[in-house]
Amino acid sequence: VSCCKNFRCPKCPIDRDELGENLGDNIELRNMDRTWRILHRKGQPDHPVTTAFDDDGLRPIFEPFWYDFPHCDIHAAFTPDILHQLHKGVFYDHLVSWVMKIAGDEIDERFKVLPSYPALCRFKKGLSKLSQVTGNEFKEMQECILAVLASAVNSEVVKATRALLEFIYYAQFQFHTETSL
């Protein structure tokens, strides 16, 4: 839909290997007009593949369905994916891997001994042995991670975890009020 190559962001032209390095910079977001100009030049026989085409990570789509839609910016239409960007990305890939580096064995042991409770998944082997995790398991980890981390890690880590969990929960609201903002 965005004419991007696999694993390229539909919102910005930064290569995935460079993500995180440029967070403080003013990053120019993808622009539908620029994307169309690059794709259109690609289709011309007298214009070879441009460096902009490769730098932007675009696929050679001859005429994307949106090219003549007035008042449309296809790149602005993409919204964050709560499951992959927050539950898996921010929570599991970043926070859980961080606390596992800080106190991995202790965290594993605490998850193993959590008492069984209806509607709550038990991680009988801890977290370090998990090979594939579902969205429900991410949410179940989030429900009990503060209790697991208490006294196992520095209080600043617990505060950071709580703030991150609050952000994830607020991000899932269907609408916000003045109070929630």
Side-chain angles (χ1 to χ4, degrees):
V1 172
S2 68
C3 302
C4 297
K5 291 181 180 177
N6 283 351
F7 305 111
R8 292 298 293 258
C9 178
K11 302 287 269 180
C12 70
I14 294 184
D15 191 342
R16 71 184 268 184
D17 296 333
E18 297 173 15
L19 287 175
E21 297 173 15
N22 301 313
L23 290 178
D25 300 341
N26 277 335
I27 300 169
E28 185 177 329
L29 296 177
R30 287 192 188 275
N31 176 302
M32 194 176 86
D33 294 331
R34 174 181 164 77
T35 300
W36 173 241
R37 282 193 311 273
I38 293 169
L39 291 173
H40 189 66
R41 282 195 312 231
K42 168 69 174 146
Q44 302 296 323
D46 56 335
H47 290 295
V49 174
T50 64
T51 56
F53 187 84
D54 292 328
D55 289 346
D56 279 21
L58 298 174
R59 289 178 175 264
I61 309 292
F62 180 65
E63 281 190 4
F65 73 91
W66 46 258
Y67 82 96
D68 61 352
F69 284 3
H71 314 294
C72 170
D73 185 353
I74 196 67
H75 302 298
F78 288 93
T79 60
D81 174 12
I82 300 289
L83 171 64
H84 292 100
Q85 292 181 342
L86 291 181
H87 294 302
K88 183 187 180 304
V90 175
F91 173 74
Y92 189 71
D93 291 344
H94 293 289
L95 179 76
V96 171
S97 65
W98 178 50
V99 297
M100 293 301 283
K101 286 179 183 173
I102 293 172
D105 293 338
E106 178 70 18
I107 303 301
D108 265 348
E109 288 304 315
R110 288 174 177 229
F111 267 104
K112 288 178 189 177
V113 298
L114 280 174
S116 61
Y117 185 79
L120 187 64
C121 180
R122 286 200 59 214
F123 299 95
K124 296 175 186 174
K125 297 180 182 179
L127 298 184
S128 62
K129 303 284 189 228
L130 294 175
S131 60
Q132 191 170 12
V133 184
T134 66
N136 285 336
E137 289 171 327
F138 292 137
K139 292 174 186 176
E140 289 164 352
M141 281 181 224
Q142 291 169 13
E143 289 176 7
C144 57
I145 195 157
L146 282 175
V148 167
L149 292 180
S151 77
V153 294
N154 183 319
S155 66
E156 297 299 316
V157 174
V158 175
K159 287 179 187 176
T161 302
R162 181 175 176 214
L164 183 68
L165 291 173
E166 286 179 359
F167 173 77
I168 291 171
Y169 293 140
Y170 276 117
Q172 295 176 73
F173 281 8
Q174 294 296 317
F175 62 90
H176 286 277
T177 63
E178 290 293 322
T179 305
S180 68
L181 289 174

